[in-house]
Amino acid sequence: MATKSSGEDVLQRLKALAEHFRTSNSSQSPPPPPPTPAAAQLTKRAAVLICLFPTDIAELRVILTKRASTLSSHSGEVALPGGKRDLSDADDIATALREAEEEIGLAPALVNVVTVLEPFVNKKGITVVPVLGLLSSKEAFNPTPNAAEVDAIFDVPLEMFLKDEKRRAVEKEWMGYNYLLHFFDYEYGNEKYVIWALTAGILIKAASLVFERPPAFLERRPRFWNASANSSKTSHAQP
């Protein structure tokens, strides 16, 4: 576990990055109008929110959800709050914040955006943009799961995704390239959760950025997660 002083240093750096991001965006010209329905369908774009908050010992934790068991896809899996872009969304940040409010009752005003990470591409060819943010007040956030989409809301230490302690991996193959699918096991209350696949990959990336160091294990990401390597054959890939 990180010491309190090092945790406070990381938190101060993230706050400074959030302020820089806010002021930089406010000085830019207004965003372009939303795309037409046809263009939006072609872009196949989504965004997720990596919302961090510090504990009283300056440990950074990230908010996660367990998807509702009634959903038609990825039911019961652990995920970051997020979803597909709507025509009304001005940008990826707007998508992530809107989805977080709809899924877990997190008001956008409570999130200070730190940065937008490099996009991932999932096995269905959808571009997923991670938005990294800081929760301005843990006390002001009253988790309210949308029963149609979320079975549970919980949080885990972000630094866990750089460690080997709760991790296991399975080797997979795609188009002649072997990669590792990582699984992180975590107990919260009386529940056991498994964080894996794209969600785990995004959190490894976020933790590496926040703590400014690589994971303590071999990562070996699937190539189809990278937009530049993605192709029409992506649909044949494993998760």
Side-chain angles (χ1 to χ4, degrees):
M1 178 183 295
T3 63
K4 183 171 182 178
S5 59
S6 63
E8 288 175 344
D9 290 343
V10 170
L11 184 59
Q12 289 304 315
R13 180 169 58 83
L14 289 176
K15 287 180 177 178
L17 286 172
E19 177 62 20
H20 175 73
F21 188 88
R22 186 186 66 79
T23 54
S24 296
N25 279 7
S26 64
S27 63
Q28 294 176 358
S29 58
T36 63
Q41 186 176 7
L42 290 174
T43 57
K44 298 176 70 175
R45 199 171 184 90
V48 294
L49 180 65
I50 308 168
C51 189
L52 308 178
F53 68 90
T55 65
D56 56 2
I57 59 171
E59 177 189 56
L60 278 176
R61 298 180 71 89
V62 57
I63 300 171
L64 295 172
T65 70
K66 180 181 178 183
R67 288 170 59 85
S69 57
T70 54
L71 291 174
S72 58
S73 64
H74 303 287
S75 60
E77 292 185 5
V78 172
L80 289 156
K84 290 185 179 180
R85 183 166 175 171
D86 277 356
L87 294 179
S88 60
D89 296 334
D91 51 27
D92 299 313
I93 294 173
T95 300
L97 295 178
R98 174 184 55 76
E99 287 283 344
E101 184 171 29
E102 292 176 2
E103 290 183 5
I104 64 175
L106 176 57
L110 292 177
V111 181
N112 292 320
V113 175
V114 174
T115 190
V116 177
L117 304 187
E118 181 181 348
F120 287 66
V121 178
N122 71 12
K123 65 178 181 178
K124 295 181 179 179
I126 296 174
T127 298
V128 180
V129 182
V131 176
L132 181 66
L134 280 172
L135 186 61
S136 61
S137 172
K138 182 67 165 62
E139 294 72 23
F141 172 42
N142 179 29
T144 308
N146 180 337
E149 300 184 55
V150 174
D151 277 348
I153 303 169
F154 65 105
D155 52 81
V156 304
L158 180 66
E159 200 169 9
M160 180 180 80
F161 299 98
L162 297 179
K163 299 179 179 180
D164 224 0
E165 299 166 6
K166 302 178 185 295
R167 185 195 67 91
R168 49 196 169 91
V170 174
E171 189 171 44
K172 297 282 187 177
E173 186 271 338
W174 177 67
M175 295 180 64
Y177 175 78
N178 293 328
Y179 65 92
L180 293 175
L181 201 61
H182 298 282
F183 298 75
F184 293 87
D185 299 301
Y186 191 73
E187 291 189 24
Y188 187 89
N190 297 321
E191 296 292 330
K192 294 182 179 180
Y193 298 99
V194 180
I195 306 146
W196 68 296
L198 189 67
T199 299
I202 290 172
L203 290 171
I204 292 170
K205 178 69 174 180
S208 297
L209 172 70
V210 169
F211 294 104
E212 298 183 307
R213 70 176 193 269
F217 49 84
L218 177 65
E219 190 174 2
R220 204 160 73 192
R221 292 167 41 163
R223 288 180 177 174
F224 60 83
W225 280 359
N226 301 325
S228 59
N230 193 41
S231 69
S232 59
K233 295 182 180 180
T234 299
S235 58
H236 299 294
Q238 297 299 313

